[in-house]
Amino acid sequence: MKRNLTLDEETLAAYLRGDVDAETAAAVEAWYAASEANRRKLGEIYYILFLNDRVNDAHRIDTEAALRSVRNRIRRPQRLRMRRIVVRACAAAAAVAVLVTGGLTTVSLSERLSRPVTVYTQLGERSQVVLPDGTKVWLNSNSRVEYVAPFFSRQRRVAMEGEAYFEVAHDEHAPFVVTTGGLDVRVLGTRFNIRNDEERHRVTTVLLEGAVAAHAHDNESSSVRLRPAQRLVFDSSTGAMSLEECKAADRSIRWIEGRFSFEHNTFGQIVAELERYYNVNVRFMDDRLREECFSGDFHVEDGIYHIMSVLQLTYKFTYRTAGNVIEIYPAPGR
């Protein structure tokens, strides 16, 4: 039997803190999506809190006047839409508030900003998410992004692991920064793919549209600017950068459609990709096989054994399976 829920400011604040049960959370989300007025109310709560923080910090703001001013110029809050994803967030990106009888109290500014929206995928999964600022992100298998809300900053920042494709919402006053593997990629509005291959100490950024600038964390003077159809390869172990033309830039995001696109990739690189999707452990019984190169396009639905059989037509090798372990051997006579 459903409870009668009162969605007052205190309940909304508890939801934003993540302190409500599943039933209440669902009710708040339905309420938020129901009307523009409801979305404005959430924005009003946030901005009231923003001004109250300034009172606590500077002790020189007329709170009552500030509240009246805010109500006269409410700004539409950021939309938070999550589709086909797993989300873990200590608080919604919009705001955190605690309303108590007789006054207004807020969680500290630093505490709120330390609570990012986290999105991740498991092995074999792909996901799409729209961040609170409107940026669209596609995550490849076994990847993760953490988005820090930019309400008190001129910078939108995402920490990333694995591989993701970004379509960044343009905001000239709030640059968008992706941090991964010791590299910062800074954009205003653009489309690009970035992959952090931790085992190879390699971060690869491919720009499809717009412009980005990238620099190592410990050397901002080493900034490199990319143009569309260029690829930047960053060695996270040495800090070296290599910028090259990438005429087939669209190939870098074929994974969004559930496709593998290999172009003169080593067998070792291909196997690493297959392991991410099919949750298998591939063992090379002769390390020389790792450096053999292959090209080809496959669909994830083809399955790993079909892909292995096609690759065998290019280079003769044999393989043996035992559970989720695949052992690869040179073909007899090689």
Side-chain angles (χ1 to χ4, degrees), residues 6-114:
T6 301
L7 299 183
D8 53 19
E9 290 180 333
E10 186 172 357
T11 302
L12 296 177
Y15 167 78
L16 294 173
R17 294 196 311 275
D19 291 339
V20 297
D21 57 27
E23 182 181 351
T24 302
V28 172
E29 289 163 5
W31 170 89
Y32 177 81
S35 72
E36 183 66 24
N38 293 347
R39 291 188 284 272
R40 283 199 301 270
K41 183 172 182 179
L42 185 61
E44 181 175 355
I45 292 174
Y46 167 75
Y47 282 103
I48 291 172
L49 292 170
F50 171 77
L51 292 176
N52 191 70
D53 274 332
R54 292 298 180 258
V55 171
N56 292 337
D57 293 339
H59 303 288
R60 62 173 180 266
I61 297 177
D62 183 340
T63 304
E64 293 302 321
L67 295 179
R68 289 193 298 272
S69 175
V70 166
R71 290 192 171 95
N72 290 332
R73 52 184 176 84
I74 292 299
R75 185 172 133 197
R76 180 177 179 177
Q78 308 287 1
R79 292 186 66 191
L80 178 61
R81 295 188 290 128
M82 303 292 183
R83 301 197 302 271
R84 295 179 293 131
I85 59 175
V86 181
V87 177
R88 286 181 178 174
C90 295
V96 177
V98 181
L99 301 178
V100 296
T101 303
L104 178 66
T105 304
T106 64
V107 179
S108 70
L109 173 63
S110 60
E111 184 179 350
R112 290 206 299 274
L113 292 181
S114 66

Side-chain angles (χ1 to χ4, degrees), residues 254-306:
R254 288 184 179 174
W255 59 265
I256 293 174
E257 304 168 354
R259 296 169 61 189
F260 299 117
S261 184
F262 304 125
E263 186 175 12
H264 302 298
N265 292 95
T266 67
F267 205 0
Q269 293 170 344
I270 293 173
V271 161
E273 191 74 7
L274 299 179
E275 286 179 324
R276 293 176 66 191
Y277 275 89
Y278 298 114
N279 193 24
V280 295
N281 182 11
V282 180
R283 299 174 183 172
F284 287 97
M285 309 313 290
D286 186 332
D287 281 338
R288 290 176 297 178
L289 290 171
R290 294 180 181 273
E291 303 307 317
E292 296 297 327
C293 292
F294 299 85
S295 297
D297 289 292
F298 303 94
H299 290 275
V300 173
E301 292 78 8
D302 292 339
I304 188 169
Y305 299 114
H306 170 77

Side-chain angles (χ1 to χ4, degrees), residues 101-131:
T101 303
L104 178 66
T105 304
T106 64
V107 179
S108 70
L109 173 63
S110 60
E111 184 179 350
R112 290 206 299 274
L113 292 181
S114 66
R115 296 172 173 173
V117 173
T118 302
V119 184
Y120 64 91
T121 55
Q122 304 286 359
L123 286 169
E125 294 180 342
R126 298 187 312 278
S127 299
Q128 180 188 358
V129 59
V130 179
L131 298 179

